[in-house]
Amino acid sequence: MYPARNGDAFLVDAGGPHILVDGGFASTYQDYIATDLALLAAHGGRLNLVICTHIDGDHIGGLLEFFSLNGPSERRGIEVGAVWHNSLRSLPTSTSRPGNVNDRMLLEAIRRRGYQDAAVASANPISARQGSSLGKLLRQYAYSWNSGDGTNCISDGTAPLSVGGNVGLQVIGPKPERLEALRDLWLREVRKLGYSGSLDASDLLDDAYEMWCASAPPPTVPTAVPIAASANLRLADVYTPDTSISNGSSIAFIISAGPTRLLFLGDAWAEDTVAKLKAMQPEAAPLVFDAIKVSHHGSLRNTSVELLSVADSPCFLISSDGSRHGHPDFEVLAEIVDRPAPFERQLFFNYETAATERLRAHASRSGTAFTVRVVDNKWIQVGGVQID
C-alpha cells in the first residue's frame, strides 16, 4: 500500500502473478512504484494486470506516468499482460453529430488544461509532461485494454478473469449505468461550453473526456454533522450516501488466490457494493475476506453500517494522509472495530492521521480485539499468513 498522499496505489503479489491497482499521483510512481517494478522486471517478473479503478487524479496520475515511460512493446520496461480502464471509447454511444472547427478548439482547450486541476490541493502534482489520456497511451503502445482495444467496458457483467495459476478476479462493480451516467454528465457539461459534435472514438475526445473527469468538481452533498473529539455519535448517525458520479464508476473487484480472497472497492458507492455482495451471499452471515481495501479512503459516505454487516475481514486497508476532506473518518473506523467477530482485526494505514490517533485510544464496544498498524511502504501479508 504505497504512500500515495490522499490517493490509492497498491501492488499485489498473488504468489506469482502481480497486479497493480491504481497509481496515486505521478510522484507516487516516481518515488516508490518505479523502483519496485524495475526490481520485479529484473527478476523476470511482469505485471499480469494493471487496474485503473476510475478517472480521478489521485488514482490515475501514477498510471499515466508509468505508461508514458514504460515504452512500446518492443522495449518495455516491464511487461504488462492486461489493463482494465474505463474511458469514453469503452462505452457505446448514440450521438453522431458532425463536428466542426469550434468543437475541436474546445476539446483542445480541455486537453491543454490537462490533469493539473485534480492535484491542486496535493503535494504530489501530476507531471506537467502528461499531455495524453491514459486511453491514448494504451492504444499508442498496443496494450491489451479491457480484453481488446478498449471498446469494451469493465463492469459487474464482465466475465471472471484468470491471471495465471489459481489467481482470478471477479468484478463486482460498477454497473454499466454508472459509467453511462459519467459519460452523460461530461456530455452535458461540454454541451454547455458549446460542443455540438460527435462522440465517435478519437484520441482527442479520449483526452478531453479523461482530463475533464479527473478534474471535475465534486457534487454538492449534505454536510456531515461535525464530530467533536468527545462526541459519541455512530456511523449510522452521520452516514450520507456518496453521490459522486465519478466515484460511482469505480471498478470494484475480488482477487482470489486459492482460498484467499481480497476485496478492493476503489471509491465505489456502498449501496452498489451491498447489492452485489448480498447476491453472492444470500445468508445472513457476512462474507469474510482475507483483506478489504476500504472504499474512498475511509470516507463516511462510502462505507455504511449495512456494508459492514455483509462484509468483514481480519485485515482492513485504508489509504490516505488526511490532506483532503479529513479522510479517513473516525466513525467508519470505529464501526469496523466495534462489531463482534471471532478474530482480531488489524487496520493498516499508510499515514498517521488524527483518526488513527483517536482509534488507538478507542475501546471496541463489542470487546473484539483490534490493532492499528501504520506501514512504511512495506509488504502486508494476508491469507493464512500471520501479518507481521
Side-chain angles (χ1 to χ4, degrees):
M1 181 166 60
Y2 290 107
R5 304 296 295 176
N6 57 284
D8 271 2
F10 294 83
L11 181 61
V12 179
D13 176 358
H18 287 79
I19 303 164
L20 180 63
V21 183
D22 291 328
F25 294 98
S27 57
T28 312
Y29 173 76
Q30 296 159 354
D31 296 342
Y32 302 103
I33 302 174
T35 301
D36 285 349
L37 297 189
L39 183 62
L40 178 59
H43 286 83
R46 67 199 294 260
L47 288 173
N48 299 71
L49 178 64
V50 176
I51 301 172
C52 179
T53 59
H54 62 301
I55 305 171
D56 253 357
D58 58 339
H59 295 252
I60 198 173
L63 298 183
L64 286 161
E65 192 80 353
F66 166 57
F67 283 107
S68 66
L69 296 174
N70 198 43
S73 56
E74 62 273 16
R75 56 175 191 278
R76 296 247 200 268
I78 186 170
E79 290 299 326
V80 176
V83 182
W84 283 357
H85 167 56
N86 287 322
S87 189
L88 186 62
R89 72 174 61 232
S90 306
L91 297 167
T93 61
S94 57
T95 304
S96 58
R97 305 177 188 178
N100 57 43
V101 173
N102 290 335
D103 288 334
R104 183 172 182 82
M105 290 175 62
L106 174 61
L107 297 179
E108 290 280 10
I110 296 174
R111 179 160 66 178
R112 284 195 301 272
R113 189 173 63 190
Y115 292 91
Q116 295 298 315
D117 292 348
V120 166
S122 170
N124 292 45
I126 295 172
S127 172
R129 72 166 174 269
Q130 247 94 64
S132 297
S133 64
L134 180 54
K136 182 178 178 180
L137 290 170
L138 297 178
R139 290 183 64 252
Q140 178 181 347
Y141 294 130
Y143 288 94
S144 173
W145 173 16
N146 293 1
S147 301
D149 61 359
T151 53
N152 298 311
C153 72
I154 301 299
S155 72
D156 62 354
T158 297
L161 174 70
S162 173
V163 293
N166 62 353
V167 181
L169 283 87
Q170 177 182 358
V171 181
I172 64 170
K175 300 177 180 180
E177 52 262 40
R178 300 287 182 247
L179 298 170
E180 292 163 1
L182 180 58
R183 175 201 61 193
D184 293 346
L185 173 63
W186 175 79
L187 182 58
R188 288 196 300 273
E189 293 303 312
V190 293
R191 293 277 188 245
K192 290 178 186 177
L193 297 174
Y195 183 78
S196 61
S198 169
L199 287 185
D200 293 337
S202 72
D203 287 342
L204 178 56
L205 208 58
D206 277 352
D207 290 353
Y209 175 73
E210 289 190 25
M211 292 172 190
W212 183 90
C213 288
S215 58
T220 302
V221 295
T223 302
V225 178
I227 305 298
S230 60
N232 201 32
L233 293 180
R234 307 288 296 276
L235 179 60
D237 300 319
V238 296
Y239 175 72
T240 305
D242 191 0
T243 58
S244 165
I245 294 176
S246 175
N247 289 345
S249 73
S250 283
I251 299 175
F253 55 93
I254 298 166
I255 301 176
S256 299
T260 302
R261 295 191 301 173
L262 288 71
L263 176 63
F264 277 81
L265 293 176
D267 286 2
W269 292 357
E271 290 69 28
D272 287 351
T273 303
V274 166
K276 193 67 177 182
L277 295 181
K278 280 187 171 181
M280 295 170 55
Q281 174 84 335
E283 295 83 6
L287 284 162
V288 177
F289 296 91
D290 293 275
I292 295 177
K293 202 296 288 190
V294 178
S295 181
H296 199 197
H297 320 291
S299 168
L300 56 78
R301 296 195 173 98
N302 299 79
T303 298
S304 64
V305 173
E306 186 178 19
L307 173 55
L308 293 176
S309 74
V310 298
D312 203 353
S313 176
C315 175
F316 286 83
L317 309 173
I318 303 98
S319 175
S320 179
D321 66 351
S323 63
R324 294 196 68 186
H325 312 298
H327 298 153
D329 289 303
F330 174 76
E331 294 76 20
V332 171
L333 307 181
E335 195 69 31
I336 289 172
V337 303
D338 282 346
R339 299 165 299 148
F343 44 75
E344 177 180 348
R345 297 187 183 93
Q346 300 200 58
L347 283 73
F348 286 85
F349 302 84
N350 46 8
Y351 294 92
E352 282 284 9
T353 65
T356 60
E357 293 176 3
R358 186 176 172 189
L359 187 63
R360 292 182 195 280
H362 179 72
S364 168
R365 292 174 183 266
S366 68
T368 300
F370 71 91
T371 306
V372 177
R373 305 285 296 273
V374 177
V375 292
D376 183 17
N377 196 33
K378 296 178 181 177
W379 288 100
I380 301 168
Q381 294 180 312
V382 298
V385 180
Q386 182 176 353
I387 300 169
D388 57 8

